[in-house]
Amino acid sequence: MMSNSVLAARMTDAHRELADRARSYFQPARLERWRTAPGAPLRRETWGELAAQGFLGVSLPREHGGAGLGLLGAVILGEAMAQLDDVGIALAVHVDTEVATAWLLSAEDAALRDTWLPRILTGAAVACQCDTDISPEEPTTAVLDGEHVEVTGRKRYVVNGAGSDLCFVTVTLDGQPAVVLVEKDRPGVRVRHVYDKFGTRAVDSALLEFDAVRVPRTHVVTRRGLSQLMTWNRVMSRMRYLIAVDAHAIHRRLLADAIRHARHRPLGGRPLAQWPVNAHALARARADQELMEAGLADAYLRLDRGTVAVPETAELKWFCVERATELAGYCTDLEGGAGYMWDSAALRAHAQLRGLRMAGGSQTTMLTIANHSLAARAELAGRARPEPVRGATSHV
């Protein structure tokens, strides 16, 4: 992505320095040293190490303790982390320093921000975003009680859920959606289950329970109603955009490996790449990669100037993850039997992409958002069209 002319033109010396440093730092061999066990989540000390390297809060303004490199800084960091064999670390960082910090910056209570933001940026505290209810019939609710709010419910598949210190919990408060900050050590907060996942294992995903947890009223970090919806859309659009960047990076690496393999592996007296079925598949993958890059550049410009781009980023996340998943499946087939052994890079990439399919909202959710947007646009266009004059004759 950094070779893209749109993004390259916006890179400063500080962006280039971050790119060089992050590329050399995020090497696959480093990941195993960070894990609690082979294939397990990150050790807690990893967050302090990432902070010491200046990799937490790269997008945040300097006045709030960040590096001031904006969304482009987060893109650069995401691309560097994609060099690892587990994209879970990218998801963990996205949630901790893009989503959680956004809620703190939007909070009305400055003391809340001043308490927790420095701790997140130094790795002393880790945050999670709790969105997915057990079922529509069991929503997570919050009730105002004087100067306190009482939170009750359960949330599934929470990224950073087991290892976090503070939870940003989506609730229904007075019939409207809101986000409430709940410290993990408050009475009534429990980690009920840590899931055993197929991919993205570098970050834990957990089932959290909130049993009548009382927090100060100031812990409601979003204004309710339209203001909350606008903030939510902005935060989630950035998250989905960064997931699309992650998928693009995996797709690019898969395509390079597939082309190299197809050019050198013979079948029936000629390389795999010379068989039309493979030539066509690889050509389509190259076209998909170019479309991804164009979409990412366009979405970057929208998000960077503050445009609300909910359907566009949902569509982009869907496209990038879907096409990368499709290519990963093709690559495992292209490798023959080796593609179904766990040391296959293509198979491991397929596992990581299964995690990206769910992160930031499932692929089905992305299509639903896009569908609603298209329907709304069609309706608005229909209303804007002038009514035909009765009795008028049209000529073709």
Side-chain angles (χ1 to χ4, degrees):
M1 277 297 294
M2 291 307 102
S3 61
N4 178 274
S5 59
V6 173
L7 300 188
R10 287 159 175 78
M11 288 188 62
T12 65
D13 289 342
H15 287 109
R16 284 185 279 272
E17 188 275 334
L18 173 66
D20 292 341
R21 190 160 48 84
R23 273 196 299 266
S24 64
Y25 185 81
F26 288 104
Q27 295 296 319
R30 194 181 294 272
L31 180 60
E32 289 311 312
R33 184 170 63 81
W34 288 340
R35 294 184 188 269
T36 55
L42 301 176
R43 289 185 295 105
R44 181 55 185 263
E45 304 84 74
T46 303
W47 292 97
E49 185 176 331
L50 293 175
Q53 295 293 327
F55 294 141
L56 298 184
V58 296
S59 69
L60 291 183
R62 291 184 179 276
E63 61 265 28
H64 293 299
L69 299 180
L71 180 59
L72 185 56
V75 171
I76 291 169
L77 189 64
E79 283 214 315
M81 289 188 289
Q83 297 175 130
L84 304 173
D85 286 336
D86 194 324
V87 77
I89 188 171
L91 288 179
V93 172
H94 295 338
V95 170
D96 188 60
T97 65
E98 293 296 324
V99 176
T101 58
W103 293 129
L104 285 171
L105 292 178
S106 70
E108 292 184 9
D109 184 14
L112 203 63
R113 180 187 66 236
D114 295 342
T115 297
W116 285 109
L117 192 56
R119 297 190 64 188
I120 288 176
L121 297 182
T122 58
V126 178
C128 66
Q129 172 75 27
C130 306
D131 289 329
T132 306
D133 289 320
I134 293 298
S135 72
E137 292 73 32
E138 299 179 76
T140 303
T141 59
V143 178
L144 291 172
D145 182 12
E147 292 304 311
H148 287 82
V149 176
E150 190 172 278
V151 177
T152 299
R154 291 183 295 166
K155 297 290 189 179
R156 297 189 295 177
Y157 316 129
V158 179
V159 170
N160 289 340
S164 59
D165 301 283
L166 62 159
C167 313
F168 291 87
V169 188
T170 304
V171 301
T172 300
L173 176 60
D174 292 338
Q176 294 182 323
V179 175
V180 179
L181 187 156
V182 178
E183 295 91 340
K184 193 77 160 297
D185 58 2
R186 289 203 177 253
V189 182
R190 300 179 185 88
V191 178
R192 282 299 187 189
H193 181 65
V194 180
Y195 297 100
D196 186 12
K197 299 187 293 181
F198 180 45
T200 65
R201 296 176 67 89
V203 60
D204 70 77
S205 293
L207 170 62
L208 299 187
E209 180 179 80
F210 303 91
D211 184 9
V213 182
R214 288 173 65 81
V215 298
R217 188 171 184 151
T218 54
H219 280 43
V220 179
V221 296
T222 60
R223 299 176 180 86
R224 284 165 279 165
L226 182 59
S227 176
Q228 192 275 346
L229 180 61
M230 295 292 287
T231 304
W232 172 265
N233 285 338
R234 185 179 69 252
V235 171
M236 290 311 298
S237 290
R238 283 175 69 96
M239 178 69 177
R240 289 165 183 162
Y241 177 79
L242 291 173
I243 291 170
V245 171
D246 297 335
H248 169 266
I250 293 174
H251 185 279
R252 184 179 58 201
R253 187 172 69 246
L254 282 170
L255 181 56
D257 290 347
I259 291 173
R260 185 163 48 248
H261 178 76
R263 284 175 176 171
H264 294 96
R265 174 68 183 269
L267 177 67
R270 53 179 166 165
L272 286 171
Q274 292 184 13
W275 288 88
V277 64
N278 292 320
H280 294 160
L282 293 172
R284 177 182 172 179
R286 280 193 292 267
D288 285 340
Q289 187 168 295
E290 292 179 5
L291 289 171
M292 286 183 198
E293 192 168 313
L296 287 166
D298 177 71
Y300 171 81
L301 294 176
R302 292 173 184 267
L303 295 171
D304 190 52
R305 60 176 175 254
T307 304
V308 177
V310 177
E312 290 84 2
T313 50
E315 291 164 0
L316 181 65
K317 188 255 183 183
W318 177 88
F319 181 80
C320 291
V321 174
E322 203 70 20
R323 290 296 184 263
T325 303
E326 182 180 298
L327 180 59
Y330 168 75
C331 288
T332 59
D333 289 343
L334 191 67
E335 292 176 5
Y340 291 87
M341 303 299 111
W342 192 239
D343 59 355
S344 162
L347 186 60
R348 292 199 304 273
H350 181 78
Q352 305 311 311
L353 288 160
R354 298 306 303 182
L356 294 187
R357 293 180 74 85
M358 299 306 299
S362 69
Q363 293 293 85
T364 302
T365 300
M366 297 303 99
L367 286 179
T368 301
I369 293 171
N371 247 351
H372 287 172
S373 173
L374 288 171
R377 290 171 184 171
E379 183 178 346
L380 290 172
R383 289 179 181 177
R385 193 177 299 119
E387 291 290 331
V389 179
R390 293 195 176 191
T393 303
S394 61
H395 301 277
V396 179

